[in-house]
Amino acid sequence: MNVIFHIDDPARWPLALGNAENLLACCKGAGLQCTAELLANGPAVTGCLPGAPLASRMAALAREGVLLAACANALRAQGIAPGQLAPFVEVVPAGVAELAGRQAEGYAYIKP
């Protein structure tokens, strides 16, 4: 099972992280292979900074193999340099292209 979670509103981070945590727990419990990505664009990229309130939960998901990605265009719009992000966050060139590409690869799209 492949899933991409799309977060563009900083207020949606708690729900998105909870969804990803629940997905991993469900897959583990059922013995299913699961690949998950959390993609932030728009103002939600501010949640990818090391001091963000939910950074520890994000880091735990990254340790479980979840990809956390931030849109380079959104970073520029928010005045955030890629080097300012938490070390577990990968920068993708364009969030919309990442979403479309993952869906073309068969990922389920979830927008909490």
Side-chain angles (χ1 to χ4, degrees), residues 10-33:
R12 305 302 281 179
W13 269 114
L15 181 58
L17 295 173
N19 285 173
E21 291 160 348
N22 291 340
L23 174 68
L24 291 181
C26 181
C27 288
K28 276 185 183 178
L32 298 173
Q33 176 68 28

Side-chain angles (χ1 to χ4, degrees), residues 13 37-41 48 67-71 89-92 98:
W13 269 114
E37 178 175 347
L38 287 152
L39 171 75
N41 72 338
C48 297
L67 173 63
L68 287 104
C71 169
V89 177
E90 179 181 312
V91 177
V92 297
E98 182 75 1

Side-chain angles (χ1 to χ4, degrees), residues 54-111:
L54 300 170
S56 63
R57 282 177 70 190
M58 295 167 82
L61 283 169
R63 285 190 298 274
E64 290 289 323
V66 174
L67 173 63
L68 287 104
C71 169
N73 295 321
L75 291 172
R76 277 192 297 281
Q78 296 294 317
I80 300 170
Q84 292 177 273
L85 298 176
F88 50 81
V89 177
E90 179 181 312
V91 177
V92 297
V96 294
E98 182 75 1
L99 291 169
R102 292 299 190 192
Q103 288 177 76
E105 294 171 0
Y107 278 62
Y109 172 85
I110 297 177
K111 185 167 176 152

